[in-house]
Structures are given as structure tokens and as C-alpha cells.
């Protein structure tokens, strides 16, 4: 096989057996650093170029655009552009769901307000429309097969699109990914629509590979199950110890049930290439996975390349040598967006990296054109200089927000204009250290899938207690710690 298929010569025996498994339903449990993306791209290519007259699509999906792009780039590099000739694709699972809803609308199985068959699907309403704080959450439902708007009563108030804007926008053929999921969840409760979806998958796709499957929520798992029942070759790749997205609805236990119910072949990628040169790190990883107590050696922030924590707040509350990549400002989206623009100037100059959620900040402020963003940069640089010069925080904020409002035409409320003193104070502390080396700070979610030589981990008191007792992979906080402690190639240190 190594002479026939590109790239297989460098695979380990367990990688080769996994990539080339002839079974239709395969589950690959991939330990950290074991080369799961390598195996995924190889299995995609083997299915794509299998000798067959079956012209249905080979599709790989993941749950984030960055993960999807990583697999796509690997496939193109290894197998060439023809690997992704239509209809073969590597896309997010949201794209699969959007395509499915479009098919149901075009075929007349469902009807959208205004008769739309093509939809504009947004990531979130928040960055496109004004919001109000309320417990009435706008949502979509089915009345028969007609999509209609409704409102759900939530236990706590949150910022939602205004009711009039929601109804009008849906009628114009726009919705969010969450709305697509609401409609499909309701549609799949109808037997004839579920049968239609099963037939649709059977006719259009022959192989489906799902990366990071433990990020799947209940609807995702249901869709994967329908694909398997439709006769598709289904490959699931993931690690239950690295499932971090319960806040997005991920349900690792549902994935496990599906694997057991449909009797997927279980294969493991245990050999890690990440810490082959470090017996300490390899031992730490083994002990964590065995649920044994561990204690991290202490270290200094300046001794590591990155500092990880479960929450952004934990990073900001730590050493001023740590520069987190995101500002999470509880006072409101306007303050958070402007502070993110400020932070971006500092992260770009310190690490050559954009601030996390920069695109959300730009959307919130209505900064669609690069020219508008560039016009703001001198004002942002001036604000940072004034912060470093110990100017009054309120005066710095007022001057900056006046510039932002003038150049973006965003109209913040009076409450949104309040000075975010905590966030600005944190930035000021980092500016005082900027002459020396600042160290990148990331949450475990941001660090997933990445690695560094030396990693600092900022533990909360509860984290240290958990490590003393051993990790429980059914607890997401424990899984976050596992991810943090398995990013280092050489050493993990408590900082």
C-alpha cells in the first residue's frame, strides 16, 4: 500500500491499520499527539480515491472552521486538488445542516416564511442587530411543515434580537445556525421527513468522516446516526478526554451510546509523538489518563512559552507578564468590542497574533471595511500610549469611544459608555511589562489541538484539589485540565 497511496510510508502500524480499516463503521479514539489529523486525511484520501464507480461524495466534517481548514490543507497537500473536486468536500457540520435544510426547502418538504428556498445563515444575531435584555428568546418552530417564529421563556435574561427585527429578518430569508438546528430538530421528529433525510444521505454521500466527534450535540449525534443507518461509511475520530464544549451543547455520553448501539469498530491511536523526548511529560500523561493523583512542579511565567487556564479571568488575575488573547468584559458588548480592538494592537505587536474574537468585535461595531479598521488604529495606539503614561482611565476611555463612534457610526447606550476600569487597568499592567517579553495566555479551549515545548498552567484552587485526587473524564472541568496538561512536549509547570 505504501507504494500506491501517497504518504502511507511514514505511518506507524497503528495509524496505517486505522486509516485503512475496511469496516464501514469505524471509531478512532486518538490520544493527544497521536496523529489523528494525519489518520483522518489519509482515510479521507483512501475513500476518495478508492476504485469504485460510486460517484457519491466523500465528506469530512469538524465543528470549527479552524479544525476544518487544518484537515482541508492536509488533504490538499497530501492528495492534491482533485481530492476535493465536487462533490467531495471538507466542511463544518453546520454546513451539512444548512445544506440539508436547503434541500428540504427546495424539495417542498418544509416551507420557509416568504417562500424562501435559499437562506443567509449568520453565526449570531448579536453582531448584526441591536439586542434587548429579556427572558423571551426568539426561536423557530414548525407548524405542520411551515417554519414559523416563536419565543421561548428562559429562566435568566440575556441579550436577544428585538422581536420585530427577528420576525422581519426571518421573513427575508435570514437566520442563525442555531435557528437551522431548531428547525431540523423539529423536522426529524416527523417520521416521513426523517425517512426523506435518510434517503437524501444515501443518495448523495458514500463516506462521512467526523473529526472531534465528542464535540457533537444531540442533533449532531442524531444526524450521524441517520447517516450510519442510511448505509454510509462513517468514521468517527475523537477523544472523550478532550471533549470541552458542553457549553455549546456537546454530549459525549450520547456519542458513546451511538458507538455502542451501532457497533462501531473501535480502534485506538495511543502512540504520542508529542512527548517522545520527555519521560516526565509522557509519565504525566499516562498518570492523568489512569486517574492517578498528580502534582505539577512549580515554575515561573518567564520559563514557559504559553500559560493556560480554564477561564480568561484566571489569566488576567495572574502575573502581569501574562497577556491573555481575549477580553471578556461583563459590562456589555460595546465595551468588550472596543477593549478587544485595544488588546489586538498589543497582541499583534507582542506575538504577531490577532486578539481572539476580533471578528466578533468588528461585527459588533459594524466595522466591515478594512479601511475603517485602519482609520481607527491611530486612535487605538494613542489610547495605549495614554494608558502606559498613566493617564486617567475615564479620560482615555471617553476619548477613544468618541473616536470609535465617529468612525463606525455605532451608537452605544449611556450604560455602554461606562469606563471598563478593570479591563483597562489590566491592559495598563501589561503595557508596563511590554518592554520585556510578555507570555501568551490562552484558555484550554483555545489551546486544544496545539502544542508547545514548555507550558505553564495557572491552576485555580479547585483545580489543584482535583489533581490531587485524580481526574474524572466525565467532568468537563477535569477534561479541561487534561487538555491543558497534555499540550507540552517537554514540561508542564504550575505558574
Amino acid at each position: 500500500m505504501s507504494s500506491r497511496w501517497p504518504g502511507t510510508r511514514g505511518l506507524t502500524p497503528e495509524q496505517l491499520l486505522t486509516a485503512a480499516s475496511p469496516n464501514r463503521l469505524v471509531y478512532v479514539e486518538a490520544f493527544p499527539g497521536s496523529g489523528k489529523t494525519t489518520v483522518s486525511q489519509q482515510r479521507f484520501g483512501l475513500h476518495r480515491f478508492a476504485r469504485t464507480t460510486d460517484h457519491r461524495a466523500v465528506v469530512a466534517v469538524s465543528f470549527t472552521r479552524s479544525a476544518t481548514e487544518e484537515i482541508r490543507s492536509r488533504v490538499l497537500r497530501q492528495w492534491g486538488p482533485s481530492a476535493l473536486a465536487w462533490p467531495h468536500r471538507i466542511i463544518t457540520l453546520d454546513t451539512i445542516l444548512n445544506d440539508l435544510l436547503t434541500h428540504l426547502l427546495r424539495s417542498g418538504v418544509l416551507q420557509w416564511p416568504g417562500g424562501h428556498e435559499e437562506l443567509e445563515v449568520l453565526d449570531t444575531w448579536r453582531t448584526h442587530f441591536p439586542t434587548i435584555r429579556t427572558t423571551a428568546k426568539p426561536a423557530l418552530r414548525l407548524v405542520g411543515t411551515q417554519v414559523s417564529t416563536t419565543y421561548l421563556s428562559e429562566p435568566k435574561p440575556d441579550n436577544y434580537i428585538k422581536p420585530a427585527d427577528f420576525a422581519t429578518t426571518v421573513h427575508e430569508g435570514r437566520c442563525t445556525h442555531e435557528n437551522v438546528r431548531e428547525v431540523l430538530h423539529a423536522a426529524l421528529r416527523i417520521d416521513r421527513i426523517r425517512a426523506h433525510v435518510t434517503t437524501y444521505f444515501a443518495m448523495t454521500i458514500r463516506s462521512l468522516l467526523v473529526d472531534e466527534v465528542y464535540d457533537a450535540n444531540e442533533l449532531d449525534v442524531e444526524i450521524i446516526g441517520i447517516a450510519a443507518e442510511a448505509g454510509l461509511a462513517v468514521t468517527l475520530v475523537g477523544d472523550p478526554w478532550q471533549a470541552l464544549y458542553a457549553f455549546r451543547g456537546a454530549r459525549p455520553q450520547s456519542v458513546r451510546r451511538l458507538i455502542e448501539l451501532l457497533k462501531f469498530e473501535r480502534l485506538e491511536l495511543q502512540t504520542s509523538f508529542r512527548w517522545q523526548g520527555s519521560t516526565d511529560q509522557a509519565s504525566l500523561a499516562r498518570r492523568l489518563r489512569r486517574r492517578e493523583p498528580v502534582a505539577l512542579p512549580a515554575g515561573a511565567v518567564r520559563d514557559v512559552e504559553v500559560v493556560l487556564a480554564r477561564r480568561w479571568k484566571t489569566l488576567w488575575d495572574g502575573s502581569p507578564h501574562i497577556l491573555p488573547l481575549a477580553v471578556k468584559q461583563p459590562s456589555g458588548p460595546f465595551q468588550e468590542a472596543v477593549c478587544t480592538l485595544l488588546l489586538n494592537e498589543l497582541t499583534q505587536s507582542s506575538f504577531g497574533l490577532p486578539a481572539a474574537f476580533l471578528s466578533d468585535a468588528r461585527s459588533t461595531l459594524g466595522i466591515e471595511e478594512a479601511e475603517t479598521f485602519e482609520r481607527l488604529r491611530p486612535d487605538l495606539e494613542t489610547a495605549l500610549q495614554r494608558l502606559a503614561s498613566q493617564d486617567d482611565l475615564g479620560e482615555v476611555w471617553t476619548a477613544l469611544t468618541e473616536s470609535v463612534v465617529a468612525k463606525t457610526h455605532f451608537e452605544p447606550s449611556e450604560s455602554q459608555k461606562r469606563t471598563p476600569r478593570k479591563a483597562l487597568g489590566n491592559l495598563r499592567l501589561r503595557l508596563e511589562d511590554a518592554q520585556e517579553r510578555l507570555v501568551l495566555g490562552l484558555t484550554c479551549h483555545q489551546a486544544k489541538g496545539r502544542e508547545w515545548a514548555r507550558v505553564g498552567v495557572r491552576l485555580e484552587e479547585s483545580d489543584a484539589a482535583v489533581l490531587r485526587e485524580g481526574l474524572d473524564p466525565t467532568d468537563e472541568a477535569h477534561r479541561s485540565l487534561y487538555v491543558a496538561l497534555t499540550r507540552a512536549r517537554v514540561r508542564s509547570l504550575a505558574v
Side-chain angles (χ1 to χ4, degrees):
M1 179 175 288
S2 60
S3 62
R4 180 179 171 187
W5 300 110
T8 55
R9 188 181 301 278
L11 299 183
T12 66
E14 68 179 8
Q15 288 177 328
L16 186 58
L17 288 171
T18 301
S21 171
N23 289 309
R24 184 175 72 86
L25 302 179
V26 174
Y27 161 57
V28 182
E29 185 162 316
F31 289 30
S34 61
K36 77 173 181 64
T37 306
T38 296
V39 168
S40 293
Q41 62 93 353
Q42 285 291 352
R43 190 161 177 81
F44 179 92
L46 291 172
H47 282 208
R48 163 66 181 91
F49 291 108
R51 288 181 176 174
T52 177
T53 57
D54 189 340
H55 299 297
R56 293 176 299 165
V58 175
V59 178
V61 299
S62 194
F63 293 84
T64 65
R65 295 184 180 101
S66 59
T68 302
E69 184 54 38
E70 174 65 18
I71 300 173
R72 182 186 292 113
S73 64
R74 295 274 198 102
V75 166
L76 289 173
R77 186 164 60 247
Q78 192 71 51
W79 296 90
S82 62
L84 296 181
W86 181 261
H88 311 293
R89 296 190 293 168
I90 299 175
I91 52 181
T92 63
L93 191 63
D94 275 332
T95 302
I96 287 272
L97 299 181
N98 297 347
D99 289 350
L100 176 56
L101 179 55
T102 298
H103 167 74
L104 294 176
L105 294 173
R106 285 177 175 173
S107 60
V109 175
L110 296 178
Q111 295 79 44
W112 193 269
H116 294 278
E117 296 180 357
E118 297 278 350
L119 305 175
E120 180 185 354
V121 183
L122 310 174
D123 287 340
T124 174
W125 292 120
R126 174 184 172 185
T127 54
H128 292 79
F129 294 93
T131 59
I132 57 172
R133 192 162 183 81
T134 177
T135 57
K137 177 184 178 181
L140 296 180
R141 63 173 180 169
L142 285 183
V143 178
T145 58
Q146 176 69 48
V147 177
S148 67
T149 58
T150 187
Y151 296 90
L152 305 177
S153 180
E154 296 293 310
K156 294 182 179 180
D158 204 343
N159 293 313
Y160 299 118
I161 183 174
K162 295 178 180 178
D165 288 339
F166 181 62
T168 299
T169 305
V170 169
H171 196 272
E172 292 171 347
R174 283 186 287 180
C175 65
T176 65
H177 290 294
E178 183 178 4
N179 296 144
V180 170
R181 289 173 173 274
E182 291 164 351
V183 172
L184 290 177
H185 176 78
L188 291 174
R189 309 281 75 76
I190 302 172
D191 288 344
R192 66 179 181 83
I193 296 181
R194 187 183 182 91
H196 186 97
V197 170
T198 303
T199 301
Y200 168 74
F201 281 146
M203 293 180 63
T204 58
I205 303 174
R206 60 182 165 95
S207 176
L208 176 67
L209 185 148
V210 183
D211 179 52
E212 298 289 6
V213 67
Y214 286 100
D215 291 344
N217 65 18
E218 294 291 356
L219 176 62
D220 302 328
V221 173
E222 186 173 10
I223 290 291
I224 294 167
I226 291 173
E229 292 167 0
L232 280 64
V234 178
T235 303
L236 308 180
V237 183
D239 182 3
W241 281 78
Q242 299 184 70
L244 298 186
Y245 291 98
F247 71 94
R248 293 183 187 169
R251 295 293 180 266
Q253 65 276 17
S254 297
V255 175
R256 292 192 190 95
R257 284 197 295 269
L258 179 72
I259 291 168
E260 294 170 2
L261 178 66
L262 298 184
K263 296 181 171 55
F264 276 72
E265 177 193 20
R266 178 191 173 98
L267 299 169
E268 288 189 347
L269 296 174
Q270 293 190 13
T271 304
S272 176
F273 301 93
R274 182 168 296 162
W275 41 74
Q276 284 186 335
S278 172
T279 56
D280 289 341
Q281 191 62 28
S283 173
L284 172 64
R286 285 194 299 271
R287 293 178 65 191
L288 289 170
R289 200 128 186 156
R290 292 171 184 164
R291 311 187 189 194
E292 296 175 3
V294 300
L296 282 188
V301 169
R302 296 295 174 86
D303 294 334
V304 300
E305 296 174 51
V306 65
V307 177
L308 307 180
R310 289 196 295 113
R311 299 185 299 158
W312 292 112
K313 183 179 184 301
T314 306
L315 294 167
W316 284 109
D317 290 346
S319 165
H321 300 316
I322 303 169
L323 179 60
L325 207 60
V327 175
K328 301 307 289 182
Q329 177 59 39
S331 55
F334 176 74
Q335 288 97 329
E336 183 176 310
V338 175
C339 288
T340 297
L341 296 186
L342 274 175
L343 175 63
N344 181 65
E345 295 298 311
L346 191 50
T347 60
Q348 290 281 12
S349 62
S350 299
F351 312 126
L353 294 173
F357 313 115
L358 177 62
S359 60
D360 288 347
R362 290 181 58 166
S363 295
T364 296
L365 298 172
I367 304 174
E368 298 179 0
E369 303 294 333
E371 182 181 344
T372 303
F373 185 57
E374 288 302 316
R375 287 205 309 270
L376 271 175
R377 295 196 66 183
D379 302 305
L380 296 168
E381 292 168 2
T382 297
L384 288 176
Q385 291 167 4
R386 293 187 64 186
L387 285 175
S389 299
Q390 304 299 313
D391 284 12
D392 179 76
L393 295 179
E395 293 178 2
V396 173
W397 179 252
T398 298
L400 178 58
T401 54
E402 287 176 354
S403 297
V404 170
V405 170
K407 293 178 180 179
T408 66
H409 306 295
F410 183 93
E411 292 295 340
S413 65
E414 287 304 313
S415 63
Q416 290 177 323
K417 294 179 182 178
R418 293 173 188 160
T419 304
R421 294 186 175 276
K422 179 71 172 176
L424 294 180
N426 280 331
L427 283 173
R428 171 173 282 169
L429 286 174
R430 271 67 185 181
L431 286 165
E432 293 171 358
D433 258 31
Q435 301 302 319
E436 304 179 47
R437 184 176 75 91
L438 289 169
V439 177
L440 177 65
L442 297 173
T443 62
C444 304
H445 293 82
Q446 296 283 326
K448 186 179 176 183
R450 302 173 66 178
E451 62 181 57
W452 298 265
R454 292 178 176 272
V455 174
V457 182
R458 183 158 167 74
L459 299 172
E460 301 177 28
E461 187 174 335
S462 59
D463 298 334
V466 162
L467 291 177
R468 287 194 295 269
E469 297 178 3
L471 298 184
D472 176 1
T474 64
D475 188 310
E476 176 146 345
H478 294 212
R479 297 195 297 267
S480 294
L481 288 174
Y482 177 79
V483 168
L485 270 58
T486 55
R487 299 306 95 192
R489 294 190 297 272
V490 178
R491 200 77 185 273
S492 297
L493 300 171
V495 298

